[in-house]
Amino acid sequence: MTLKAGIIGLPRCGKTTIFNALTAAGAAEFSGAETNRAVVEVPDSRLAPLIEIYRPPKTVRAALELVDIPGLQAGSTAEGGRGNRLLAHVKDVNALLHVVAFFRDPGEIDPAGDIEIVDLEMVTADVQTVQNKIDRLVKKSRSGDKQALKELEACRKVLASLESGVPARKQDLGPAELEAVAECHLSSLKPVLYIANLASVSEADGEQVLRLARLARGEGAEMIAVAGRDEADLSELEPDERREFMAELGIAESSVERLIRAAYRLLGLITFFTAGPTEVHAWTCRSGDCAPVAAGKIHTDMETGFIRMEVIRHEDLVESGSEEAAAKAGKRRLEGKEYQVRDGDVVVVRFSN
């Protein structure tokens, strides 16, 4: 599973600067409606000791795909405007990274207002999408189709709140409503991680930034403060120079690491590992996935033909120094189909073709 995140926000909020900070892509500012795209490896310090144990010729890290979407302006989605074309890029992402500018004059900083503008553009596009589905369901329900009638009721409930300006993610939708609008891929239903784009890290505890953090918590989201310009410069340096410059700037860890951890929490994702003399590989699945589902991330045959999973906790394997030593110490377990894979599990999947 490759996590895909869309970077959104108002024009000139520093989205592309954040994109460059995360990817070192050196992308230029937008001139049209095209996106910037890049895939970055997910930093994970747990890989190093596994590499030391197995010394494989190949290491595969989990990946994050970033899509930098041109800025949304007030009214841009009205009557099929440019905003609709931009929001089409949001349809296939897992989460949204909403960049809010904090590098302006204090009187120009309005995080709640900036967020509301973007939310309303997404809501406007979603209204039309849900209305289109309702129109189809109305025709279908005339024949007495009970499932269509149930979906119609659920969609109308979602539409009413959208028309009141409430993003779908804030509507506390139940299973029936979520299932009814699933095929709509609503932009305003995507989980959001807010990024406060600062002029410098010294502003991270400013009142406006704390206000955005409170706003994020109020909707069950998270906020990360990033000095976008500084971190974009950092991304272009060699590792040794980067560490030195980070120390000078007072940046303890890169924005990539903080952002990815927050994104994983937002989406309820975990990392498990397969390891051997040929390859050490980090895999991503959802928290709560049972062993066959997680095995399916490695190969679909492993899910359909799943027999059992051999599991050693990462910390137990590292402490023991080898699989054999971990097994002798009673640290290797055999788990069946009901086992829920945990973050940090090192697994071997047994399956039949």
Side-chain angles (χ1 to χ4, degrees):
M1 175 193 293
T2 299
L3 173 63
K4 186 181 291 187
I7 304 176
I8 62 171
L10 294 177
R12 295 173 294 281
C13 69
K15 288 183 290 71
T16 302
T17 300
I18 296 296
F19 176 81
N20 287 332
L22 296 172
T23 65
E29 295 296 329
F30 292 106
S31 58
E34 295 303 312
T35 61
N36 293 314
R37 293 174 180 263
V39 176
V40 296
E41 292 183 335
V42 175
D44 196 324
S45 60
R46 295 173 295 184
L47 284 168
L50 294 180
I51 295 169
E52 181 66 24
I53 291 171
Y54 293 97
R55 299 188 180 279
K58 183 180 180 182
T59 302
V60 182
R61 301 174 185 274
L64 168 69
E65 182 176 353
L66 291 166
V67 184
D68 179 19
I69 301 168
L72 288 164
Q73 302 182 66
S76 61
T77 56
E79 298 180 2
R82 176 174 177 267
N84 288 284
R85 296 194 299 277
L86 300 182
L87 286 173
H89 298 297
V90 173
K91 297 290 185 181
D92 64 341
V93 303
N94 305 104
L96 298 175
L97 311 181
H98 190 154
V99 179
V100 181
F102 282 84
F103 50 79
R104 298 170 177 149
D105 292 336
E108 298 178 354
I109 297 174
D110 180 14
D114 290 356
I115 289 169
E116 183 178 17
I117 290 172
V118 175
D119 274 351
L120 286 176
E121 292 309 301
M122 291 194 292
V123 163
T124 299
D126 287 348
V127 164
Q128 189 57 58
T129 301
V130 177
Q131 184 61 62
N132 290 342
K133 176 160 189 182
I134 287 174
D135 292 342
R136 295 194 299 272
L137 288 171
V138 167
K139 294 177 182 178
K140 202 173 180 180
S141 65
R142 286 172 182 158
S143 64
D145 187 317
K146 292 183 179 179
Q147 182 59 35
L149 287 168
K150 288 181 180 178
E151 285 191 46
L152 183 59
E153 180 182 358
C155 285
R156 281 174 169 162
K157 179 181 176 182
V158 175
L159 180 63
S161 293
L162 287 171
E163 289 179 330
S164 297
V166 182
R169 69 177 186 278
K170 297 181 181 180
Q171 292 184 26
D172 194 23
L173 301 180
E177 291 84 16
L178 289 171
E179 184 177 354
V181 300
E183 70 180 66
C184 298
H185 301 290
L186 301 180
S187 298
S188 71
L189 187 55
K190 304 284 183 181
V192 177
L193 172 64
Y194 293 103
I195 300 177
N197 189 9
L198 312 176
S200 71
V201 292
S202 63
E203 300 173 0
D205 57 354
E207 178 54 38
Q208 290 277 35
V209 178
L210 295 176
R211 188 175 301 171
L212 176 58
R214 289 193 293 270
L215 186 153
R217 286 196 299 272
E219 62 175 75
E222 287 192 48
M223 183 216 77
I224 291 179
V226 176
R229 184 64 63 186
D230 287 341
E231 297 228 22
D233 292 340
L234 276 171
S235 69
E236 299 177 0
L237 300 177
E238 294 299 322
D240 288 342
E241 293 178 307
R242 187 182 307 142
R243 284 190 290 271
E244 184 179 337
F245 193 21
M246 286 174 65
E248 291 178 6
L249 294 173
I251 298 173
E253 59 182 345
S254 74
S255 57
V256 175
E257 296 176 62
R258 291 184 291 130
L259 184 146
I260 289 173
R261 283 202 301 272
Y264 269 49
R265 288 192 296 270
L266 178 70
L267 294 169
L269 301 177
I270 61 171
T271 300
F272 67 99
F273 305 94
T274 53
T278 59
E279 178 183 278
V280 168
H281 199 132
W283 303 92
T284 303
C285 70
R286 297 192 182 280
S287 177
D289 277 353
C290 289
V293 176
K297 308 301 180 184
I298 304 171
H299 196 286
T300 53
D301 287 350
M302 290 187 176
E303 181 173 4
T304 55
F306 181 88
I307 298 174
R308 67 178 183 272
M309 180 177 280
E310 298 173 10
V311 182
I312 304 175
R313 293 294 300 158
H314 178 276
E315 58 269 25
D316 292 334
L317 177 56
V318 173
E319 182 181 353
S320 300
S322 70
E323 287 184 33
E324 294 76 12
K328 287 181 180 179
K331 300 296 185 179
R332 182 166 62 190
R333 311 187 314 275
L334 299 181
E335 300 289 357
K337 294 182 178 181
E338 302 304 315
Y339 175 68
Q340 293 183 358
V341 174
R342 296 166 56 198
D343 186 61
D345 280 348
V346 183
V347 310
V348 174
V349 179
R350 304 300 180 187
F351 67 105
S352 61
N353 291 323

